[in-house]
Amino acid sequence: MMMRRHSLSSSVLSLALAGAALMLSGCGKSETDALDAAVIGAGPLTLGDALAPAEGTPQEVLRLNIAQGLVRFDAGGQIEPGLAERWTVSDDGLSYIFRLAADEWPDGRKIMARDIARILKRQLRNPRGSATRDALGAVEDVVAMTDRVIEIRLAAPRPNLLELLAQPDLALIRDGVGSGPFRSRTPAAGKPGAEPDATVQLRRRLPGVDGEPGEREDVALAALAAQPAIAAFVSGKLDLLLGGTVNDLPLVQRGKVPRGALHFDPANGLFGLVPAKAGGALADADVRRLLSQAIDRAGLVAALGVPGLGPRATVLQSGLDGLPDPAQPAWLALPIAERRAALRVEAQRLFDDGARPHIRVALPQGPGGDLLFARLSADWRAIGIESERVAPGAPADLAWVDAVAPSSSPGWYLRQFRCGVAPICNAEADSILDAARIAPDPTQRGALFADAAFMIDQQSLFIAIAAPVRWSLVGDRATGYQDNRFARHPFADIMRRPPRGY
């Protein structure tokens, strides 16, 4: 088989602030001091079991750093070696062969291909809590060929396989412990059910020369609520703050953060509204289209104040593999003031001057959710439709979706709206996606994706607004930090690697 080698490539707040001050070091840090990092969210900071934590949470960031897959992400979101030191891909794209590095688990046991194959197959079989499982449906088998060589066999080519294997939910965990690149110096971090400390101390030892111990990298990782985390960064007690989303955005924009510290990832993914139940007014595609076209996306995006963020009204976004940039509907280019007269007429036609639907919208609880609801409710009220905000998980007509795509494949976007996943779906689009899953030719697969995307957009199964918003606060010590499309920020070399694109 011919192969081509890939290159390696209030009081609560006061207490929280006090806690942050105690557990995080202050100013005047030396180069050898640990980097003080935090992620917005709640603890506990434990690795847990093989199930995937939610995207952007402290648990996921911990997992990203103390457990790795066959490959992993570097600071720029590019693929680099993880447990595998190198890999080859067959010319037909149906076989990926990985050679494992000679390494050990933290307990000293050698990392063997048969163990990795077993763990990986178990995680691929587990459908819960993962953004990547469905996208990996083409994996037919994982085989240990020798003690250090493992093969992944596919039913159809997956050019984005390495991006998926690098995601934290496919990090390989044995007996509740990962293989690095960092190791926890806080025992609870690797023990499910153990009582964790407020901060997890992480250490990575770099290779030495001539048998001498190598330099080390130390990171103190904490989980904090947004307000105290931002305050800790501003006061110099934090070097790096990760996990910012649209819901926390107004807090950081109102805060007096140092100039240049606020970073936005050019994240890909889904950011908008999806029907939350099968019945009701939104069962009618015309009503969904009406609500979508009534949204002033340009005004909403401007209110968010995120550099480079643009409005979109399609399920797919630009820059995806195998497809041209999606054409936005003509109505999106019209100012909202020019659209509303026709939309009011359409609303009158749909409801025949009868009772207008009252739309319940499930949005995140926080200042960002406040902003979103204020804009959406005003836009819908302008065409005679009232709305009500409810908490996430409560009975609703529409639910907010905010997710970063795990790869640049269009398939991930489209499969979020399959029957059995979304309350309102299109069976014909599902059949097209099934055909795309096994299509051997990239051009054919891309054409099938385009057809499915057209149906989803025509039926307004997803009301897209823009791309996801992900932000971080980056201090002077985190010179290796880089914005990237996956919003993944591993700690390896974060105080070493020269910044790019600053």
Side-chain angles (χ1 to χ4, degrees):
M1 178 169 53
M2 295 296 295
M3 299 283 182
R4 62 183 185 272
R5 174 167 292 181
H6 281 216
S7 61
L8 296 184
S9 13
S10 69
S11 62
V12 174
L13 175 59
S14 299
L15 288 171
L17 283 166
L22 287 171
M23 68 185 178
L24 302 169
S25 58
C27 301
K29 301 168 184 174
S30 73
E31 291 184 0
T32 58
D33 286 337
L35 183 91
D36 287 312
V39 185
I40 294 174
L45 277 171
T46 57
L47 182 58
D49 58 19
L51 298 181
E55 180 252 319
T57 59
Q59 294 77 16
E60 191 193 53
V61 173
L62 177 65
R63 187 186 186 109
L64 178 70
N65 287 283
I66 67 175
Q68 59 189 330
L70 292 167
V71 294
R72 65 190 188 215
F73 290 117
D74 68 9
Q78 301 299 311
I79 300 299
E80 67 176 12
L83 287 173
E85 60 185 6
R86 59 182 182 268
W87 55 89
T88 55
V89 185
S90 64
D91 288 341
D92 60 9
L94 299 179
S95 172
Y96 283 66
I97 295 178
F98 300 84
R99 181 170 179 82
L100 303 180
D103 206 348
E104 298 177 343
W105 297 100
D107 62 3
R109 179 176 171 178
K110 288 184 179 179
I111 294 176
M112 305 290 285
R114 63 177 179 270
D115 297 325
I116 298 305
R118 175 181 53 82
I119 295 168
L120 187 53
K121 285 196 287 188
R122 181 190 68 204
Q123 296 196 186
L124 289 172
R125 285 194 304 266
N126 192 335
R128 295 178 292 165
S130 169
T132 61
R133 299 290 196 274
D134 184 69
L136 287 166
V139 175
E140 284 194 326
D141 204 0
V142 183
V143 180
M145 303 177 73
T146 71
D147 286 348
R148 290 180 57 193
V149 178
I150 189 170
E151 180 185 16
I152 297 179
R153 300 172 182 170
L154 304 176
R158 288 295 179 268
N160 310 101
L161 180 65
L162 297 178
E163 294 173 350
L164 298 172
L165 293 176
Q167 293 292 338
D169 61 340
L170 283 178
L172 298 162
I173 298 170
R174 173 182 164 269
D175 297 332
V177 178
S179 67
F182 282 83
R183 296 193 175 176
S184 173
R185 298 162 59 212
T186 308
K191 296 180 180 179
E195 192 67 32
D197 290 343
T199 306
V200 173
Q201 303 292 337
L202 305 176
R203 173 168 292 174
R204 176 194 183 210
R205 181 72 70 175
L206 301 174
V209 179
D210 296 331
E212 294 294 322
E215 296 183 25
R216 72 181 192 224
E217 295 177 334
D218 290 319
V219 177
L221 176 63
L224 293 173
Q227 190 78 59
I230 295 167
F233 183 89
V234 170
S235 67
K237 298 180 177 70
L238 275 178
D239 300 305
L240 179 65
L241 175 59
L242 303 174
T245 68
V246 69
N247 201 37
D248 314 303
L249 183 59
L251 297 176
V252 73
Q253 290 172 330
R254 294 196 294 258
K256 297 179 180 180
V257 301
R259 178 175 295 181
L262 179 58
H263 285 244
F264 292 95
D265 285 299
N268 294 342
L270 297 171
F271 187 81
L273 295 159
V274 65
K277 66 178 185 178
L282 270 73
D284 186 337
D286 286 338
V287 175
R288 298 195 298 270
R289 279 190 287 267
L290 176 70
L291 293 176
S292 178
Q293 294 182 30
I295 297 172
D296 179 9
R297 287 168 174 80
L300 192 157
V301 168
L304 292 175
V306 177
L309 188 68
R312 105 173 184 238
T314 55
V315 62
L316 298 182
Q317 65 180 77
S318 61
L320 300 181
D321 290 349
L323 287 179
D325 291 350
Q328 298 299 313
W331 57 261
L332 185 61
L334 292 175
I336 189 64
E338 296 182 22
R339 300 206 304 262
R340 279 183 176 151
L343 292 172
R344 291 189 190 102
V345 171
E346 176 66 3
Q348 184 175 349
R349 182 190 72 82
L350 285 174
F351 307 115
D352 194 26
D353 279 337
R356 304 288 174 98
H358 184 88
I359 307 300
R360 293 170 300 172
V361 189
L363 286 166
Q365 300 295 299
D370 297 344
L371 185 155
L372 291 171
F373 183 68
R375 302 290 312 197
L376 293 169
S377 61
D379 288 339
W380 292 332
R381 184 178 300 114
I383 63 166
I385 295 177
E386 294 296 328
S387 56
E388 173 190 357
R389 179 180 177 181
V390 298
D397 300 293
L398 288 169
W400 187 252
V401 174
D402 182 1
V404 175
S407 80
S408 53
S409 169
W412 175 85
Y413 294 76
L414 304 176
R415 293 190 180 106
Q416 308 306 307
F417 308 102
R418 292 174 303 131
C419 299
V421 176
I424 298 177
C425 63
N426 184 305
E428 187 178 352
D430 280 13
S431 296
I432 293 173
L433 290 175
D434 289 341
R437 185 187 294 279
I438 59 175
D441 180 67
T443 301
Q444 179 188 11
R445 193 163 184 254
L448 291 168
F449 281 149
D451 288 346
F454 176 80
M455 292 180 181
I456 290 171
D457 287 337
Q458 283 293 100
Q459 293 289 307
S460 294
L461 300 181
F462 177 61
I463 301 176
I465 303 295
V469 175
R470 295 293 182 270
W471 61 267
S472 304
L473 291 177
V474 185
D476 292 339
R477 299 182 71 215
T479 56
Y481 174 96
Q482 294 181 55
D483 305 327
N484 65 80
R485 61 180 176 170
F486 297 118
R488 299 294 186 200
H489 303 290
F491 296 145
D493 297 326
I494 200 161
M495 292 188 287
R496 298 173 178 273
R497 185 180 291 125
R500 303 174 189 171
Y502 272 41

